[in-house]
Amino acid sequence: MPSTQRTILTAVAWPYANGPRHIGHVSGFGVPSDVFSRYQRMAGNRVLMVSGTDEHGTPILVQADKEGVTARELADRYNRVIAEDLRSLGLAYDLFTRTTTRNHYAVVQEIFKGLYDNGYIFPKTTLGAISPSTGRTLPDRYIEGTCYICGYDGARGDQCDNCGNQLDPEKLINPRSRINGETPKFIETEQFFLDLPAFASVLGSWLQEQKSWRPNVLKFSLNLLDDLQPRAISRDLDWGVPVPLEGWVDRPDKKLYVWFDAVVGYLSASVEWARRSGDPDAWRAFWQVGPDGEAPAAYYFMGKDNIVFHSEIWPAMLLGYDGRGDKNGEPGSLGALALPHEVVSSEFLTMEGRKFSSSRAVVIYVRDFLSRYDADALRYYITAAGPETQDTDFTWSEFLRRNNDELVAGWGNLVNRAVSMAAKNLGEIPAGKDLTPEDEALLATSRGAFAAVGDLLDRCRFKAALAEAMRVVAEANKYVSDHEPWKLAKTDPERMATVLHVTLQVVDDAKTLLTPFLPFSSEKVFHLLGGEGTWSAMPELREVEDLDGGPGYPVLTGDYDQALARWESTPIEVGRKLEPPTPIFKKLDPSIVDEELARLGGEAA
Ligand SMILES: [Zn+2]
């Protein structure tokens, strides 16, 4: 247990509300952020985990048009679908909300005004694309052409996926609309820009101080500094947050750019959480330096395609709002806001050797996965074999192997052997007498794992942390096989009781060590060992009113303080009644591999 309680903001990337989540999405932002938050809560720290659906921008408009519904109707549908996907995976958000709330609009507009008042936002006339046949604006990412930097044919208007550079759409060679193939027409239009170059030096010094970040994230972020350009923050669009300036706020054709409003979501969701908690200022503890001079620690979780927003653009916005760029200034009315403590980015997950693609059916949606397999099986796979530090391929054969060999034959078997032998022979948790050096050694390994696994979790090294916890399971399985308690039942019942006592203590410890990764099965083990109450709390979907008079919506939230889980070894209670166990994991038939491969569309790679 840490001697002082830390205050931790877990800021989780906002899923875009244009479809259900697939397992690639949740392997990047979802499972890692939940493992981290669950551990921090168990360690006694104060955690606020927030996110929501990102609902503005052109892709939602285009898809809504295609389906003959309004943008709002489409966002309503996928907000609910995504919240349900995340709930069923057990992702324990304090608040998972959305960007179409009135609270969000107000906080976004406040950040804009703070930046504007400090001189970090300026208007500029630029060229914008329109579709000649419809007269509607054609957003950058719906323009395709040849990259004017590397010559790649298939670059998008805003970015080249080949060389990674941000692009000006009007400079693309041979530009064409991805919606209908026609050549876009570029016309003059006035937009607001964020003056990113005014933050290059302060961002540089800040990044240089970040010793704990993953090296790939830090290197990528430092490289971006060399070419910081002003970035457009408004768009010719009728779906988004209004620009909060006189002469602009009522214009139907100009809104803030979707990325600008989405990154403010971390703050607006914190404010919404505080307002719903009954203490409207409660968010400040997670964003501002406290009276003791302690800064809260904000951890941002995302896939690698989003690093630039979290290590560069959002920090620049916070610095500008605080008045800490080249042009100085004063903090806005919310007060000075803290920069990220750590930007935790995952690499990409591919599917059987191919990129995830909903349109080509190279995809497995979270809800489909969970209709056939348990949430902990997916959480285990993502942590043990996911893209923590390198691109990783999901294969069904590896999923089968990890589930059957590691979860079922490793951890599940240990629980099952220990509890069923003790239940059958003794009916309760036995006492241990005259412990041998081998008994003591196993107990010491198990107790010692709390410091080692906790340290790895605190440093966001989830894969290594899980391996360390599973090492305790492996040692305990070896101990049971070496001591063969089933043979001792007749020859030496007292020694059998001691071996089972030691094994059950280690099962109890391992259940605690595995709780951040496997909260559902840890809950079951807690009850198998006679525990009462809730060990590991789960999120709930609740219908709420908009706080400022807008339409109601569902949020994910939970009463996590009710959970009994603590990050420590506690002595098992001798004499607690034990019942014969039911298996905690499902063994999968090898035939599922071919069944699942047949569900994937297209040709195999
Ligand atoms: Zn290029």
Side-chain angles (χ1 to χ4, degrees):
M1 277 284 169
S3 55
T4 53
Q5 190 185 44
R6 292 168 71 209
T7 304
I8 292 172
L9 175 72
T10 307
V12 191
W14 289 53
Y16 197 61
N18 63 343
R21 291 304 92 178
H22 60 60
I23 62 169
H25 293 132
V26 295
S27 71
F29 70 83
V31 171
S33 60
D34 185 61
V35 169
F36 178 77
S37 299
R38 284 181 181 273
Y39 162 70
Q40 296 293 357
R41 290 191 192 108
M42 288 173 74
N45 292 319
R46 204 174 155 209
V47 174
L48 177 62
M49 175 164 158
V50 290
S51 187
T53 41
D54 175 4
E55 303 182 359
H56 294 122
T58 311
I60 289 198
L61 274 180
V62 170
Q63 195 175 332
D65 274 359
K66 216 186 282 174
E67 298 188 18
V69 297
T70 65
R72 175 75 199 206
E73 284 166 342
L74 192 86
D76 281 347
R77 185 200 309 160
Y78 287 119
N79 160 257
R80 195 171 284 275
V81 165
I82 291 170
E84 184 54 41
D85 287 343
L86 304 180
R87 188 201 61 78
S88 52
L89 253 184
L91 306 184
Y93 294 92
D94 291 283
L95 184 70
F96 184 88
T97 177
R98 56 194 304 192
T99 57
T100 44
T101 70
R102 294 195 181 173
N103 173 76
H104 178 72
Y105 276 43
V107 176
V108 169
Q109 292 178 331
E110 168 58 26
I111 295 295
F112 178 98
K113 278 185 276 187
L115 285 162
Y116 185 81
D117 290 347
N118 283 336
Y120 296 107
I121 287 177
F122 60 88
K124 190 177 142 192
T125 299
T126 63
L127 289 175
I130 60 163
S131 157
S133 64
T134 64
R136 289 179 69 171
T137 58
L138 192 57
D140 299 350
R141 55 182 294 172
Y142 285 92
I143 304 172
E144 194 174 62
T146 304
C147 175
Y148 54 88
I149 297 173
C150 74
Y152 172 67
D153 186 36
R156 290 198 320 243
D158 55 348
Q159 190 176 317
C160 174
D161 285 337
N162 187 50
C163 66
N165 282 293
Q166 307 236 322
L167 302 179
D168 290 325
E170 71 275 12
K171 292 192 201 157
L172 276 186
I173 301 158
N174 187 22
R176 56 205 176 262
S177 162
R178 292 175 64 198
I179 297 169
N180 59 15
E182 67 187 347
T183 305
K185 189 171 148 202
F186 289 91
I187 57 160
E188 289 202 332
T189 176
E190 190 176 32
Q191 304 295 356
F192 284 98
F193 281 73
L194 177 64
D195 187 2
L196 284 173
F199 303 99
S201 95
V202 61
L203 281 174
S205 335
W206 173 67
L207 285 170
Q208 293 290 356
E209 289 165 17
Q210 306 309 322
K211 305 294 181 212
S212 61
W213 291 20
R214 291 179 184 168
N216 53 337
V217 178
L218 190 58
K219 185 162 172 262
F220 179 82
S221 306
L222 284 165
N223 284 343
L224 288 172
L225 283 179
D226 297 339
D227 190 32
L228 278 186
Q229 302 292 333
R231 192 171 174 121
I233 59 172
S234 65
R235 254 350 196 200
D236 293 316
L237 207 64
D238 60 0
W239 174 239
V241 179
V243 180
L245 293 176
E246 224 184 287
W248 285 77
V249 72
D250 294 325
R251 287 185 64 164
D253 59 333
K254 298 273 184 191
K255 302 289 177 202
L256 291 174
Y257 212 151
V258 59
W259 67 259
F260 183 90
D261 99 68
V263 289
V264 180
Y266 302 117
L267 177 62
S268 69
S270 303
V271 170
E272 182 184 341
W273 164 81
R275 293 177 67 194
R276 293 193 182 283
S277 79
D279 174 6
D281 283 324
W283 65 272
R284 294 184 184 278
F286 298 92
W287 284 89
Q288 298 180 321
V289 173
D292 53 357
E294 266 315 287
Y299 289 75
Y300 289 77
F301 288 84
M302 75 219 64
K304 68 175 164 187
D305 49 337
N306 265 321
I307 294 175
V308 61
F309 289 105
H310 298 87
S311 69
E312 227 87 11
I313 296 171
W314 177 231
M317 288 164 66
L318 291 165
L319 288 162
Y321 185 80
D322 293 356
R324 291 199 279 153
D326 285 355
K327 297 170 183 167
N328 300 317
E330 295 294 323
S333 66
L334 295 172
L337 302 168
L339 292 175
H341 175 69
E342 189 145 346
V343 174
V344 188
S345 157
S346 298
E347 305 289 303
F348 289 144
L349 189 72
T350 51
M351 182 85 199
E352 297 284 352
R354 290 179 288 169
K355 249 179 108 165
F356 278 91
S357 162
S358 304
S359 55
R360 281 176 288 135
V362 183
V363 71
I364 172 93
Y365 292 111
V366 170
R367 58 180 171 183
D368 294 336
F369 198 105
L370 296 183
S371 71
R372 300 194 282 279
Y373 311 103
D374 290 337
D376 276 0
L378 179 56
R379 293 175 64 110
Y380 183 82
Y381 184 95
I382 286 173
T383 310
E388 184 172 305
T389 53
Q390 59 186 31
D391 290 351
T392 306
D393 195 33
F394 177 93
T395 65
W396 285 104
S397 55
E398 180 65 358
F399 172 71
L400 176 85
R401 187 189 74 73
R402 294 232 177 226
N403 183 79
N404 285 0
D405 294 2
E406 297 177 10
L407 279 184
V408 176
W411 175 221
N413 184 41
L414 176 67
V415 173
N416 198 54
R417 285 206 287 181
V419 177
S420 64
M421 268 188 277
K424 192 173 117 205
N425 292 293
L426 305 159
E428 61 179 35
I429 295 179
K433 291 197 186 92
D434 305 325
L435 298 190
T436 65
E438 282 162 306
D439 299 341
E440 298 282 11
L442 180 64
L443 290 171
T445 297
S446 169
R447 273 195 306 271
F450 283 87
V453 177
D455 177 61
L456 289 164
L457 284 170
D458 198 48
R459 292 190 286 129
C460 301
R461 296 186 54 195
F462 306 117
K463 188 179 291 198
L466 177 58
E468 196 62 24
M470 288 299 281
R471 202 170 63 80
V472 174
V473 170
E475 300 253 334
N477 268 323
K478 180 171 183 305
Y479 171 90
V480 174
S481 301
D482 288 351
H483 290 79
E484 302 182 310
W486 53 91
K487 285 191 181 166
L488 295 169
K490 292 213 173 71
T491 58
D492 189 350
E494 196 157 299
R495 178 62 190 150
M496 177 198 69
T498 296
V499 169
L500 289 176
H501 171 87
V502 170
T503 309
L504 288 168
Q505 177 65 58
V506 177
V507 166
D508 191 59
D509 289 347
K511 164 271 288 165
T512 306
L513 292 164
L514 289 167
T515 297
F517 311 100
L518 308 175
F520 294 95
S521 48
S522 290
E523 182 78 26
K524 287 191 204 165
V525 176
F526 171 75
H527 292 291
L528 284 180
L529 293 174
E532 282 169 17
T534 299
W535 172 253
S536 162
M538 286 297 160
E540 301 162 27
L541 204 58
R542 289 186 197 152
E543 302 296 327
V544 297
E545 300 291 318
D546 185 282
L547 292 167
D548 307 291
Y553 50 96
V555 298
L556 266 188
T557 184
D559 299 320
Y560 309 121
D561 293 344
Q562 310 298 314
L564 297 168
R566 295 289 173 273
W567 193 255
E568 60 192 356
S569 170
T570 47
I572 48 171
E573 206 178 293
V574 172
R576 257 198 200 163
K577 297 286 167 254
L578 293 177
E579 301 290 334
T582 47
I584 55 170
F585 299 111
K586 284 196 286 246
K587 186 168 180 186
L588 299 174
D589 191 277
S591 64
I592 65 129
V593 174
D594 285 342
E595 285 167 19
E596 294 293 349
L597 288 174
R599 283 193 174 99
L600 285 183
E603 294 297 309

